[in-house]
Every structure is written in structure tokens, then in C-alpha cells.
Amino acid sequence: MVSPDILWQALQLVLDPEVLLVVLCAGAFGMFVGAMPGLTATMATALLVPVTFFMDPIPAIAAIVTASGMAIFAGDIPGALLRMPGTPASAAYVEDAHKLALAGKLNLSLGTSLLVSAIGGLFGVLVLILAAPVLAEFALKFTSFEYFWLAVLGLSSAVFIASDNALKAGISLLIGLSLATVGLDPTSGTPRFTFGSVDLLAGIEFVPAMIGLFAIGEVLRGAIRMNTAAPLPQVPPTKGPLFAGLGALIMRYPKNILRSSTLGTMIGALPGAGADIAAWMSYAFSKRMSKTPEQYGKGHPEGLVDASAANNAAVGGSWIPALVFGIPGDSVTAIAIGVLYMKGINPGPTVFLQTPEIIYAVFMLFILAIIVMVPLGWGTVKLARRVLTIPRRILMPLILTFCIVGSFALTNSPYGIVLMLCIGLAGWFLEENGFPLAPIILGLVLGGMVERNFLTSMIKSDGDLLGFFERPVAAVLGVLVILLWGTVIVRFVMRMTASRTQQAES
């Protein structure tokens, strides 16, 4: 039980005027970065690191916590307006968000994202406060066997989030997995598919690839249609309150919010996972459990509710291993751990004993950031609507500029720009021919994780595949993956049989 004195000390640290000013400024900065296609939550926190050199520990952590949380939500804004996810965590449900906006339901799309993001974020923080030691200990027990099955389960999501053409979805997934093999072999360190390029030794950078697949394709379509008879679909301006009717929508899906918030927190607590994987998996699971799975990807708010809750809950979950054991849950917490070390605070079990007021101040900062996110998000959405009034011949070059800046800033070399443009052209060609882009991103994100953990597990088990089922958690995950794929195969065979029967009868 925490003593009232420690809580009072933590509250005094958080209510310092400097801390409150930092929360507001970092929140506005995070909203701006997240709303710009090509700029990510990781980039927002990385850009703030030099500023934290001149801050005390609490304001420094306040800047990181607030900016990252705001950027995760703000990535939904360009996704809804332009079909260009601002951050990787928004890519899973960009189709639903944009098609809702095209149908004149922009308020429903962004209002749902904002409120559900706040609810999911609060859930993640609550779990962080109450169950951090327990969940962190559970996550640390995961070995390469569990991580392999978890990654395969994530890849299985491609089957459920893809278009109706499972073959094309599978080809897209294989393309993403192939891109993930570029770079150094994880066991021997031998270069693979680099063609002598030093830049490719580090592999295909995920963020420039995502920017290229989604943003460049939209820019190309906009340029092609600009002077043709078929104009680019315009998002109609939406009038009225942002949150009108959202109470009824949230009351319609309380189980979805609770389920996805729980899933997102658990995934966030696993070192190496993050908000983007949480969003993909919760969206896939939501589609699997839904009574109307055929509406997903066509402007259905149910998937939006699930994924928005999960990716924001994962933000709090990712801090569980970071604070309790000093192991970053994702790239943002890796930056935060570096800032803590820089301030003389060593994350780990001892920090709860030596400086508990710092830890509880961090918890309070999370709650404060989520509270501030609602009015800041409302203001950002209102300002973002003005994007609709900008002519496309002006807007598209601006978006392309932001994409170039974001890709260059991540790699600090022209390599990021070239990679973005090449993958963007390939992605545009694939999508124009009916190949979904989401499985490519999923394969690129999880391909390395699958390969590393498979090879490590095979070495541990001396090549015995039964070793993948010897540990209880690994066995459960493995059986779940087999059941999922078995169900898909059985349904496919049944559909083929029924189709042939109808053809024979006719």
C-alpha cells in the first residue's frame, strides 16, 4: 500500500507550473507530428530528447509521455481525411476511418477515435498502476518459442484483415515477408539481398516503407485524377458537434472496448511489441468475433473502436517492463529509458524503493496527458478540417514534402527517400491491381521477429519441432494458430466444394 505522503509528493511534482506548461506544449507538438503523414510518435519523442537536456526529471518525462500519447491518436486524422495514416499504429483501420469520412461521417470517425483512445489509454494506465509487477514478470517469462507463436498469430491477422481475395492477400503477405529478409542474416551475419548497398545492410526501414505504400499511392492517384473526368473522392465537410451520438456508439460496443484494451495492454507489456502490433491484432480479432465481418474495411465503426482502444492501451502497457525491469516495451520507451538514465534515474525494481514518488508522478502524468488529449484532440480535429478547403493541386505537393522530410529524417540519408519512392510505386501498382497493402506492412513488421525466434527456438530444441509445444503458453498459442489456419482452410475447401456442386447441378 502506498503511503499518502508519497502520493502527496508525487502530486506536488506533477502540479508544478513548469510541468503543466511542458504537458501543454509537448501535447500540441505531439498532435502536430502525429497528424503529419510521414512523422511518427517515435520521431516526436526523439526530437524532444535534446530539449529534455535542460529539464528536471519530471518535466522531461512529462514531455516524452505526453508527446507520444498525442501522436498515436493524431495519426488517425490524416488517415480519415486523406487515407494516409500519420503513424504506424493508425494503419490497421485506415480504410474504415477514411470510408466513414467519405460517407459524410468524419465526426463519427475522428470523434470515435478520440474518445475510445482516451478510454483505452486510461485502461492501460490503470493496469500499469495496479498490476505492473505481475504483468512484467509474466512477459519476462516469454522465450523465443512464445514470441514465435505470437508473431505467427500476428501474421495470421493478414487473413482476417485482407480483402475478399485470399490469394492476393497471401501474395501481399509473402511480399512483406520477403522485404523483411533484406539485410543481415540474424544467425550468421551474412548480407542478404543487399546487392552491395551499405544502406540495405540495416534492412528495409519500416516507416519509409509505410509512408511509401500509403501516402505515395494516394499522391499518385491524386495527380493522375487531377485533370481527368474521374475526380479524386472528396471528404465532404461535416458540421455539428464532434462528439454527437458517440455515447450511443460506445454503449453499443462496451465489450469490444474492454476486450481490445486488455489485449492492447498485454501486447504492449511484451518487450519488442508495440501499439502498431496491438492495433493489427485487435482489429483482426474484432473482425473474427464480429457478427458483420463483411463490413470491415468498408467504413465499419466496430473495427475502429477495437483498434483505437488497443493501440492507446498499449502505450501504458509498454511502460510496464520499462519501469519495473528497465526493458523497453517499444521504441518510445527505449527513448524514455535513455532520458531517465540521463537524469540519474535507473529504471528497475529498486526505483520503486528508492524514489517511489518519481514512479507515481509518472503514473499521474499519464492520467494528466490523457485528460489533456481530449480538448487538444478536439482542437486539432477542428483545425484539420481546413485541409478540406485546400485545393488538391496544392495539398498533394505539401504531403509529398512531408513524406520526403519524414523519410530523410529517419535514416538521415537519401536512402530513406529512395526507399519510400520505390516501395510507393510498387504499392500503387499492386493496389491498382487489387492487392491489399495491409498484409505487406504486417509481413514487414513481424517478418524479422518470426525468423529470429524460429531460428533461436530450433537451436534450443536441437531441431525438434515438438519443442515449440513443450511450454504451456507456447502450446496454447501454437494450438490457437493451428485452429485459426485450420478454420480458414476448411472454410475455403467447403466454399470450393459448394461452388463445384452448384456448377455441376447447373
Side-chain angles (χ1 to χ4, degrees):
M1 187 70 180
V2 185
S3 70
D5 290 339
I6 292 175
L7 293 177
W8 175 244
Q9 292 175 30
L11 185 61
Q12 286 180 312
L13 290 172
V14 172
L15 295 180
D16 183 272
E18 180 187 357
V19 175
L20 297 178
L21 180 62
V22 167
V23 167
L24 287 175
C25 294
F29 176 73
M31 283 287 178
F32 170 78
V33 172
M36 293 297 104
L39 306 181
T40 66
T42 302
M43 189 176 297
T45 54
L47 291 173
L48 283 176
V49 171
V51 182
T52 61
F53 291 164
F54 309 100
M55 296 181 183
D56 292 330
I58 296 302
I61 293 300
I64 300 296
V65 167
T66 309
S68 61
M70 302 295 173
I72 293 293
F73 158 71
D76 296 348
I77 297 174
L81 290 172
L82 305 167
R83 194 178 168 267
M84 301 176 187
T87 62
S90 305
Y93 48 94
V94 65
E95 294 290 350
D96 285 294
H98 184 58
K99 286 179 180 176
L100 278 172
L102 288 177
K105 299 177 181 179
L106 180 63
N107 280 353
L108 176 65
S109 175
L110 292 178
T112 300
S113 293
L114 180 54
L115 282 187
V116 176
S117 294
I119 295 171
L122 284 173
F123 183 92
V125 174
L126 184 64
V127 174
L128 171 66
I129 296 171
L130 298 178
V134 177
L135 283 178
E137 184 178 354
F138 176 74
L140 283 176
K141 290 181 180 179
F142 269 44
T143 64
S144 58
F145 297 102
E146 287 81 8
Y147 275 115
F148 168 75
W149 286 121
L150 185 67
V152 174
L153 188 61
L155 288 176
S156 304
S157 303
V159 177
F160 308 120
I161 63 179
S163 62
D164 295 333
N165 193 322
L167 178 60
K168 289 186 175 180
I171 293 173
S172 295
L173 179 61
L174 290 176
I175 292 173
L177 290 172
S178 300
L179 291 174
T181 63
V182 175
L184 295 177
D185 183 277
T187 53
S188 65
T190 304
R192 301 182 305 190
F193 311 115
T194 59
F195 305 102
S197 171
V198 176
D199 292 316
L200 286 176
L201 289 174
I204 301 294
E205 291 284 352
F206 168 62
V207 173
M210 188 205 73
I211 297 169
L213 283 173
F214 287 101
I216 297 302
E218 287 300 311
V219 170
L220 284 172
R221 271 184 287 274
I224 291 170
R225 297 173 184 172
M226 197 171 294
N227 298 316
T228 62
L232 189 70
Q234 297 285 328
V235 174
T238 307
K239 297 181 180 180
L242 179 65
F243 302 126
L246 292 184
L249 179 68
I250 291 174
M251 292 302 294
R252 193 190 313 164
Y253 299 117
K255 293 181 179 178
N256 297 63
I257 296 174
L258 179 60
R259 179 184 66 208
S260 294
S261 297
T262 304
L263 180 62
T265 305
M266 293 177 65
I267 292 173
L270 299 173
D276 47 343
I277 295 177
W280 287 113
M281 293 189 67
S282 65
Y283 186 89
F285 192 68
S286 173
K287 184 176 181 180
R288 181 68 175 169
M289 301 298 293
S290 175
K291 296 179 180 178
T292 55
E294 70 282 353
Q295 296 183 22
Y296 280 62
K298 301 177 182 178
H300 192 36
E302 186 176 1
L304 192 65
V305 166
D306 276 275
S308 296
N311 61 14
N312 283 269
V315 174
S318 65
W319 281 75
I320 294 172
L323 289 178
V324 179
F325 291 97
I327 299 173
D330 57 9
S331 55
V332 171
T333 51
I335 295 172
I337 286 176
V339 172
L340 286 172
Y341 277 121
M342 185 177 65
K343 298 300 179 183
I345 301 172
N346 298 331
T350 57
V351 76
F352 284 84
L353 300 175
Q354 296 173 354
T355 53
E357 68 278 2
I358 298 290
I359 296 299
Y360 285 94
V362 172
F363 294 159
M364 293 178 184
L365 284 172
F366 268 105
I367 297 173
L368 178 62
I370 293 168
I371 293 172
V372 170
M373 182 173 70
V374 176
L376 273 180
W378 177 85
T380 305
V381 170
K382 291 290 184 181
L383 290 174
R385 288 177 180 170
R386 297 187 179 181
V387 172
L388 300 176
T389 64
I390 301 175
R392 288 293 170 120
R393 65 180 181 276
I394 298 174
L395 181 60
M396 290 302 169
L398 285 176
I399 291 171
L400 181 60
T401 302
F402 277 115
C403 293
I404 291 172
V405 170
S407 298
F408 181 85
L410 190 75
T411 60
N412 201 28
S413 73
Y415 159 68
I417 301 173
V418 174
L419 177 65
M420 174 198 68
L421 293 175
C422 292
I423 291 186
L425 286 170
W428 169 78
F429 175 78
L430 288 170
E431 192 170 26
E432 288 295 304
N433 288 278
F435 290 86
L437 299 182
I440 300 177
I441 290 291
L442 204 59
L444 185 58
V445 171
L446 294 178
M449 185 177 178
V450 169
E451 183 183 15
R452 286 192 306 274
N453 288 290
F454 176 76
L455 293 174
T456 303
S457 300
M458 289 295 286
I459 292 171
K460 287 180 180 178
S461 64
D462 198 23
D464 185 6
L465 292 177
L466 292 178
F468 286 83
F469 298 91
E470 289 179 351
R471 296 172 59 86
V473 177
V476 171
L477 290 173
V479 170
L480 181 59
V481 168
I482 292 171
L483 287 176
L484 287 174
W485 281 101
T487 302
V488 172
I489 293 171
V490 168
R491 287 184 175 180
F492 177 75
V493 171
M494 290 176 65
R495 282 199 301 268
M496 292 294 293
T497 304
S499 177
R500 289 176 180 175
T501 302
Q502 290 177 357
Q503 291 177 358
E505 291 177 352
S506 61

